[in-house]
């Protein structure tokens, strides 16, 4: 390889599925505990944060999602079709530049429930894998990242991941690869791996948490936002009540906002991609 090579890796749900498949080799039951393909399938088991009662996806806790037909027994295709309808409504509404929600806008109200649901769903999934497999270094993706890290020909590795989960970060930590998430965390000029999560992450937190006992879904505003410099990154004790949920659901338009944390990320990684040449 030529000197000063830059590498860009774009990851989606396939990366997470491949990781879980690798974990399943030593823990066969893992597929019973995690389903990242059909996002409603575990909704009946998922616990409501404030009282730990199961049934997050239910008429009681997410009435607008329920009214639109969200059920744990839906097929994968039925689930994604419903999510796409909800997100499309939000994308169209966002074009108006409005942020308020009234009680008649059931798709927007369902969107608020969906983002909260997805956050706690992926926190729940993350807790199902307490420790990385001892042979994680033998996983193809881990070997690939290690090769990039050890290569003197590679100056920088930009990873853009659209996954909410933090298994990528946990894998990198397990194989002793230093990384940063600009602009929230910086490790210095020698840090080769730069991670960007334009759809958000369960690791993103805004300032201080509120009491978990006071958790409720805020239906007042379509979107709560902040500057990326106000985001903290945390990888443990994730089941908290944070004022902002940093998730853009599947089929969501990451370009619909012109400011805020998501825009800050794009302003960093998009120029990096444009600067890459045929030798990268």
């Amino acid at each position: 390889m030529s000197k000063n090579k830059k590498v860009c890796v774009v990851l989606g749900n396939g990366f997470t599925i491949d990781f879980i498949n690798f974990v399943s080799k030593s823990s066969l039951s893992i597929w019973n505990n995690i389903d990242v393909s059909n996002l409603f399938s575990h909704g009946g088991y998922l616990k409501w944060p404030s009282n730990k009662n199961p049934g997050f996806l239910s008429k009681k806790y997410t009435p607008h999602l329920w009214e639109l037909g969200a059920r744990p027994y839906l097929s994968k295709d039925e689930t994604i079709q419903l999510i796409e309808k909800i997100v499309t409504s939000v994308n169209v509404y966002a074009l108006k530049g409005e942020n308020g929600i009234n009680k008649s806008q059931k798709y927007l109200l369902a969107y608020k429930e969906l983002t909260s649901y997805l956050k706690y769903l992926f926190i729940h999934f993350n807790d199902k894998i307490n420790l990385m497999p001892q042979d994680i270094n033998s996983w193809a993706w881990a070997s690939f990242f290690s090769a990039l890290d050890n290569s003197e020909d590679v100056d920088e590795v930009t990873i853009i991941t659209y996954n909410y989960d933090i298994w990528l970060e946990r894998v990198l930590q397990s194989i002793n690869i230093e990384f940063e998430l600009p602009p929230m965390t910086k490790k210095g000029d020698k840090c080769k791996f730069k991670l960007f999560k334009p759809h958000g992450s369960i690791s993103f937190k805004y300032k201080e948490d509120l009491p978990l006992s006071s958790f409720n879904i805020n239906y007042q505003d379509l979107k709560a936002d902040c500057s990326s410099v106000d985001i903290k990154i945390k990888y443990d004790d994730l089941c908290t009540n944070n004022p902002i949920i940093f998730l853009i659901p599947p089929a969501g338009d990451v370009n619909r906002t012109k400011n805020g944390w998501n825009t800050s990320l794009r302003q960093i990684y998009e120029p990096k991609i444009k600067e890459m040449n045929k030798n990268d």
Side-chain angles (χ1 to χ4, degrees):
M1 292 188 293
S2 61
K3 294 290 185 181
N4 304 319
K5 183 182 291 290
K6 292 180 173 59
V7 176
C8 179
V9 181
V10 181
L11 301 176
N13 203 35
F15 174 86
T16 294
I17 293 173
D18 195 52
F19 168 72
I20 299 171
N21 188 53
F22 180 82
V23 173
S24 71
K25 294 178 181 179
S26 58
S27 178
L28 295 176
S29 64
I30 195 66
W31 285 114
N32 297 325
N33 299 321
I34 298 175
D35 186 349
V36 296
S37 296
N38 188 344
L39 297 177
F40 288 156
S41 64
H42 285 252
Y45 305 112
L46 186 64
K47 296 178 180 179
W48 187 251
S50 62
N51 58 23
K52 305 302 180 184
N53 288 335
F56 197 120
L57 181 61
S58 63
K59 186 176 182 179
K60 178 178 181 180
Y61 294 124
T62 49
H64 302 96
L65 273 176
W66 196 261
E67 181 183 354
L68 293 178
R71 299 289 191 278
Y73 57 74
L74 293 182
S75 68
K76 179 179 68 174
D77 290 340
E78 290 171 330
T79 293
I80 194 61
Q81 286 172 9
L82 177 54
I83 291 176
E84 286 179 348
K85 285 182 180 179
I86 294 170
V87 173
T88 298
S89 297
V90 171
N91 290 341
V92 172
Y93 184 74
L95 294 175
K96 298 180 179 181
E98 299 179 9
N99 199 44
I101 304 176
N102 63 55
K103 294 181 179 180
S104 66
Q105 295 170 306
K106 59 182 180 180
Y107 279 88
L108 304 187
L109 296 170
Y111 177 84
K112 297 292 292 188
E113 295 173 352
L114 178 63
T115 54
S116 289
Y117 169 78
L118 290 175
K119 171 186 174 179
Y120 291 99
L121 177 68
F122 277 87
I123 291 173
H124 169 74
F125 287 162
N126 184 67
D127 291 341
K128 294 300 180 181
I129 302 178
N130 294 321
L131 299 172
M132 286 290 106
Q134 293 183 350
D135 60 345
I136 189 63
N137 286 283
S138 66
W139 183 38
W141 277 103
S143 299
F144 173 64
F145 292 141
S146 293
L148 293 176
D149 190 47
N150 294 327
S151 174
E152 296 181 357
D153 296 321
V154 176
D155 281 350
E156 183 176 274
V157 179
T158 298
I159 301 179
I160 302 169
T161 170
Y162 292 94
N163 298 326
Y164 313 132
D165 60 69
I166 56 173
W167 286 312
L168 168 62
E169 294 93 312
R170 290 178 60 185
V171 168
L172 293 177
Q173 289 171 341
S174 295
I175 59 179
N176 298 314
I177 293 181
E178 187 178 53
F179 62 90
E180 61 183 24
L181 285 85
M184 288 86 76
T185 64
K186 297 180 180 180
K187 295 292 182 66
D189 295 337
K190 294 183 179 180
C191 183
K192 183 183 290 189
F193 280 67
K194 322 288 184 183
L195 273 58
F196 298 93
K197 308 188 80 170
H199 273 193
S201 176
I202 59 173
S203 65
F204 290 6
K205 284 185 174 288
Y206 174 73
K207 294 185 176 180
E208 300 299 324
D209 291 323
L210 302 173
L212 191 59
S213 59
S214 67
F215 171 78
N216 215 330
I217 296 174
N218 176 15
Y219 293 105
Q220 294 183 352
D221 298 317
L222 178 62
K223 181 183 178 184
D225 208 344
C226 71
S227 169
S228 57
V229 298
D230 291 325
I231 298 177
K232 299 178 181 178
I233 306 297
K234 191 173 182 182
Y235 296 118
D236 52 13
D237 298 324
L238 298 178
C239 191
T240 62
N241 181 14
N242 199 253
I244 298 179
I245 295 176
F246 297 97
L247 297 186
I248 297 176
D253 183 3
V254 298
N255 297 307
R256 71 167 182 253
T257 56
K258 303 302 181 183
N259 49 46
W261 67 270
N262 178 272
T263 301
S264 299
L265 302 191
R266 298 202 310 269
Q267 290 173 343
I268 298 174
Y269 71 74
E270 287 180 351
K272 286 180 177 292
I273 296 174
K274 291 179 181 179
E275 291 170 1
M276 298 183 78
N277 58 52
K278 63 181 181 180
N279 296 318
D280 292 323

